[in-house]
Amino acid sequence: RDGELPVWNRYDSTGTPLLGQGQSMFGDPLHFLVIAADGAAWAWDLKYLAAKWLFAFGLGWLVFSVVRHLPSALLVAVAAPFIGFFVYRVNHPAIFSLCYAPWPLACWVEIAGAKGWRKTTLWYCGLVLSNIALINSGTAKEAYMLLLSMNLAGGCVLIALHQPMRERLAKVAAGLVAGMIFALLTAPVWYVFVETLRTSYTSYDDVAAFQIQPSLLLGTFDEAFYRALETGGHVFNPSANFVLLAGLLYFLATLRIHFADRTLATLAVFSLVPASLAFGLVPPEWIKSWPLLSSVGHLDNTFTCVLIVLWAVMAGAGFAAASRRLARPEGRGDLAVAALLLFALVFQFTAYRHAVHRLNFGGATALMALKVGQSLPLTPFLRVYMAVLIAAAVAFGLLARRALKAGRTGPAVGTAMALCLMAMLWRGGMQASSGFEDTVVHAGRRVDFRAPSGAVAFLREAGRTEPSRAIGLQNNLFPGWSAMYGIETANGPDALINPRYRELVSLAPLDRIWDWRLYLTRDRLRSARPFLDSLNVRHYVDLRSDQGALGAVLKLDRAGDLDVYESPSAWPRAFFTNRVSVYQQAGDYLEQVLSGDGRPFAAAQAADLAAEPALGALVGPLSGRTIAPATDYRLTEDSTAFTVHAPEPGVAVLVEAFWPGYPHAEVDGRPVRVVRINHAFEGVPIDSAGDHRIVIAYRPRRFTSLLAMAAAAGAAMIGLVSIASRRGTAPAARTGPETLKK
């Protein structure tokens, strides 16, 4: 709307980085449909559907690239959209991260087998583009760990090629060039995220390493088995499904024959790394000491996503091996070994449910989670479901052996195999009506998010007259979602939080939920109002409110679908003052707000005064302060402009969060420095009397240079593709034994 890139979010927490959150999805190719449709529900539906199709097609392509067996690739592709991950993450952006993840690895595998620079260069371009989609997919943990894992796995495949060293080094060198182009193209995303993270508070600052008990490995192939650990049977980790488990078990049962294929062997060995991180082989103390991994926290679900992709490839290899071996005598032995492996998974899950360590010498055992005589409960549904899954997996293997021995699939056998597949996959799909509401995902009732609301229209119009913020009581006007309507609020669900602002709200007389969410109750309204006034919160909304009780504290502006109240004493968004008070800690400043005369003021932290002489010259008693509210506002997504009348030198205070590196101010067209004022907000020193036009634009540090680097990298990529196309096809590279075999 304003011709600006989406780098700032003025709607949450008095202003917060948007691109720097690493979650904006700006740069995700599928997301431009949602942007073009202005966030319409049908556009989101199409994006989710397209992402799952991409996931299925990408996994199928990857499997075919590795094993060159079309039926196995198709079976994996059919099973892919029905993994338990989509039950764990129903509408989470991690869905897009996982759905894009197979493509970088598929590109690496194609690069490894490509002949000639034209084809190789095209696949390197595909690698760069798929990585761009992945890094912009909307998550930080999942996207960045999948990005690293898929590219490291692909690089290992390239290095392990059975080709002359010169050819391998040439491809590795080209891969490094592609990596540099990708890094430069996406620098405005990852560099800004890293810089913002460095100055932010996150809920992961308290370092943790959540891993999965290895005895629950069965749950990695159906999330139902994780539910026994949760009260109410909640889902707490993602999974693949039993179809992929069947292929993986056959791969493991025939492991010895797969070592001849260096690509498969490399991916199998590499999968031990995410498995070790997810299932506790790597001690949490080590993980906490590694800068990158220590910020992940949820190693369990993050690296399960990596395993889903890698194990799907091995499952495809298992299906391909089964198609060759099941009809032969050794097929019976393979099935027996696979059945034993399945029994081992079920056995350790069952044993974990029942076994309790005995007490020694009156002490408690280190791993005892249950009291003696108790076991993890399984609901009747889960008991039956486990039996059905095991029976379906075993029957599928036996039926496949029968069909391969006969050389054809008759109607009866084909129908039975289809029923087995349905039994193993049905819970991963969205259900219309199944009767198992607690264990499957049902399509929700369509809600019109654009339905007209008198309260929302009133708040938006009030914000155009003079910028102000609103807050809801008792869960109304939910933080973050208010941005959908263009309504600014005092908090939001952003992952990266301004540490100074968080310090203030932590001390304020407000309830906090989930670490970030401010929860205002009617009982807390009177005590919290002075603090909310200082945040430029002018309007309060409630559903079917007690107008008598709230009217005693606030002024009722409008009754309707939501009742809207006003606090006439709310501070203006910006104002001029000629005096600055001094405080030591955040609590001291908050006490000045809560016990003051209700009028706006400016306060500087004592530790900052030495570095801010312009503020030091204004220190004096607040009783004699001059206050002049700003006028003539102009707000864009990335900037705030206003005019102040200064009768003498002083400071202009803007009640928008101060993020180091983001605010760039001009006074009457002259660049000036923004200072931190009132603990978490912005101040602009005014050195002369008169009317002054102040413009504060928000953009990350070095953002212009980063955009220039990205443009140069894009031009270099186009140039390299053009050169490779003109060179034509180079002599074919030598192939290894595994390629000749395929």
Side-chain angles (χ1 to χ4, degrees):
R1 183 178 60 206
D2 301 309
E4 299 170 333
L5 290 175
V7 299
W8 187 252
N9 173 14
R10 63 165 53 258
Y11 302 102
D12 292 354
S13 304
T14 69
T16 185
L18 178 61
L19 191 65
Q21 294 284 338
Q23 297 177 317
S24 71
M25 300 185 193
F26 191 76
D28 175 354
L30 292 181
H31 198 61
F32 287 108
L33 170 65
V34 179
I35 294 174
D38 198 21
W42 63 263
W44 278 107
D45 289 344
L46 287 180
K47 180 180 179 181
Y48 278 105
L49 188 62
K52 292 183 181 182
W53 275 99
L54 274 176
F55 179 61
F57 187 53
L59 269 187
W61 187 293
L62 176 58
V63 170
F64 184 75
S65 298
V66 174
V67 303
R68 297 296 173 181
H69 187 255
L70 184 58
S72 299
L74 289 175
L75 184 55
V76 170
V78 167
F82 300 95
I83 59 174
F85 175 86
F86 297 125
V87 179
Y88 170 65
R89 298 292 200 195
V90 179
N91 61 349
H92 193 283
I95 286 178
F96 308 120
S97 301
L98 180 62
C99 288
Y100 297 146
W103 286 101
L105 184 54
C107 290
W108 277 111
V109 173
E110 291 290 352
I111 289 166
K115 301 175 182 179
W117 279 111
R118 176 184 296 174
K119 189 174 182 180
T120 303
T121 302
L122 289 176
W123 280 113
Y124 273 122
C125 289
L127 175 65
V128 171
L129 294 176
S130 59
N131 279 326
I132 289 174
L134 180 52
I135 201 172
N136 288 296
S137 58
T139 62
K141 302 189 303 291
E142 290 88 347
Y144 282 69
M145 291 301 104
L146 281 165
L147 183 78
L148 289 173
S149 300
M150 295 299 104
N151 286 281
L152 283 174
C156 291
V157 167
L158 196 59
I159 293 171
L161 277 178
H162 191 75
Q163 290 181 352
M165 182 62 70
R166 180 179 177 182
E167 295 175 9
R168 277 187 288 174
L169 289 177
K171 288 189 175 182
V172 170
L176 293 175
V177 172
M180 291 177 60
I181 290 175
F182 165 74
L184 292 173
L185 274 172
T186 57
V189 176
W190 63 262
Y191 182 86
V192 169
F193 168 67
V194 171
E195 277 289 290
T196 307
L197 177 64
R198 189 174 57 83
T199 58
S200 303
Y201 166 85
T202 78
S203 57
Y204 296 91
D205 287 352
D206 296 328
V207 179
F210 301 108
Q211 296 171 300
I212 305 171
Q213 161 62 241
S215 300
L216 296 173
L217 185 60
L218 187 64
T220 317
F221 301 99
D222 197 299
E223 46 74 36
F225 300 108
Y226 286 139
R227 298 187 183 213
L229 273 71
E230 288 286 309
T231 303
H234 299 300
V235 187
F236 75 97
N237 258 316
S239 67
N241 55 44
F242 258 57
V243 172
L244 297 180
L245 173 60
L248 180 61
L249 291 177
Y250 203 95
F251 173 83
L252 295 174
T254 57
L255 188 60
R256 63 192 181 281
I257 71 170
H258 299 295
F259 285 125
D261 190 321
R262 292 196 177 193
T263 298
L264 264 178
T266 300
L267 294 178
V269 172
F270 185 86
S271 70
L272 298 177
V273 177
S276 300
L277 292 168
F279 288 95
L281 184 61
V282 179
E285 290 73 21
W286 292 8
I287 293 169
K288 292 177 183 179
S289 65
W290 296 348
L292 190 61
L293 289 177
S294 63
S295 299
V296 174
H298 295 282
L299 282 87
D300 46 4
N301 65 59
T302 302
F303 286 100
T304 296
C305 293
V306 179
L307 290 173
I308 288 172
V309 177
L310 296 176
W311 283 349
V313 178
M314 288 180 268
F319 292 135
S323 70
R324 299 190 303 268
R325 295 170 59 91
L326 270 181
R328 303 204 294 260
E330 58 264 36
R332 179 181 297 177
D334 295 343
L335 285 179
V337 175
L340 285 174
L341 292 172
L342 177 59
F343 172 77
L345 289 176
V346 175
F347 173 82
Q348 66 176 4
F349 172 77
T350 304
Y352 180 75
R353 284 189 57 236
H354 294 297
V356 177
H357 296 272
R358 68 184 177 87
L359 300 180
N360 243 355
F361 306 110
T365 58
L367 298 177
M368 191 175 76
L370 301 168
K371 296 179 180 179
V372 176
Q374 289 183 330
S375 63
L376 294 173
L378 283 184
T379 63
F381 171 82
L382 287 180
R383 292 179 185 276
V384 175
Y385 181 61
M386 180 164 64
V388 170
L389 281 178
I390 296 170
V394 172
F396 186 77
L398 294 174
L399 290 168
R401 173 173 164 80
R402 178 176 176 178
L404 289 169
K405 286 183 71 174
R408 65 184 183 86
T409 303
V413 173
T415 302
M417 292 180 70
L419 290 174
C420 289
L421 287 175
M422 289 178 63
M424 292 186 282
L425 296 178
W426 73 277
R427 279 189 62 255
M430 187 166 289
Q431 313 294 318
S433 178
S434 65
F436 302 104
E437 283 73 14
D438 294 334
T439 57
V440 298
V441 177
H442 286 87
R445 181 174 61 88
R446 172 66 74 224
V447 176
D448 182 8
F449 294 135
R450 298 292 184 180
S453 163
V456 168
F458 178 87
L459 291 172
R460 294 180 68 174
E461 185 59 33
R464 293 189 188 99
T465 305
E466 181 178 347
S468 60
R469 298 189 174 91
I471 193 170
L473 287 87
Q474 319 288 147
N475 267 340
N476 293 297
L477 200 65
F478 196 83
W481 182 250
S482 55
M484 177 79 174
Y485 304 116
I487 298 171
E488 297 184 61
T489 55
N491 71 312
D494 309 278
L496 307 187
I497 302 169
N498 187 311
R500 303 279 189 177
Y501 186 72
R502 181 181 182 276
E503 191 176 9
L504 275 184
V505 298
S506 298
L507 297 170
L510 292 164
D511 295 321
R512 281 198 309 140
I513 302 174
W514 301 335
D515 191 51
W516 55 265
R517 178 177 156 204
L518 298 185
Y519 186 76
L520 179 62
T521 62
R522 300 180 185 99
D523 296 337
R524 290 260 191 164
L525 176 58
R526 190 178 296 275
S527 59
R529 178 180 165 183
F531 174 68
L532 293 172
D533 278 351
S534 74
L535 302 184
N536 184 229
V537 175
R538 181 171 296 277
H539 292 102
Y540 298 71
V541 298
D542 199 8
L543 178 66
R544 293 186 290 274
S545 65
D546 183 339
Q547 295 182 8
L550 292 185
V553 184
L554 301 167
K555 171 192 169 190
L556 177 64
D557 273 349
R558 184 187 185 280
D561 55 330
L562 287 173
D563 297 335
V564 182
Y565 295 82
E566 181 183 355
S567 172
S569 57
W571 292 18
R573 176 63 57 89
F575 59 91
F576 167 86
T577 185
N578 63 340
R579 291 287 184 271
V580 172
S581 69
V582 181
Y583 68 95
Q584 297 295 327
Q585 302 297 331
D588 302 325
Y589 166 73
L590 186 62
E591 179 58 30
Q592 291 185 33
V593 171
L594 297 178
S595 62
D597 58 12
R599 298 193 303 151
F601 65 88
Q605 196 162 10
D608 293 344
L609 287 179
E612 307 293 352
L615 295 181
L618 301 175
V619 172
L622 293 180
S623 56
R625 70 188 184 277
T626 297
I627 301 168
T631 59
D632 193 19
Y633 288 96
R634 183 179 184 274
L635 273 61
T636 70
E637 297 301 304
D638 294 346
S639 70
T640 299
F642 55 91
T643 299
V644 294
H645 175 73
E648 58 182 295
V651 61
V653 177
L654 177 61
V655 188
E656 294 182 356
F658 178 85
W659 284 80
Y662 272 87
H664 301 268
E666 291 182 353
V667 175
D668 302 326
R670 176 173 50 89
V672 296
R673 184 165 174 265
V674 179
V675 299
R676 182 172 65 90
I677 203 82
N678 290 358
H679 200 69
F681 302 103
E682 299 169 358
V684 177
I686 303 295
D687 57 10
S688 62
D691 291 334
H692 299 283
R693 186 66 176 170
I694 300 174
V695 179
I696 297 183
Y698 297 100
R699 63 180 182 273
R701 187 185 288 116
R702 306 184 184 91
F703 194 59
T704 303
S705 300
L706 294 171
L707 292 176
M709 290 163 54
M717 182 174 172
I718 294 172
L720 290 173
V721 172
S722 177
I723 292 171
S725 299
R726 287 198 300 269
R727 285 187 61 181
T729 304
R734 294 184 186 178
T735 56
E738 69 275 19
T739 310
L740 293 174
K741 177 185 69 178
K742 293 170 188 175

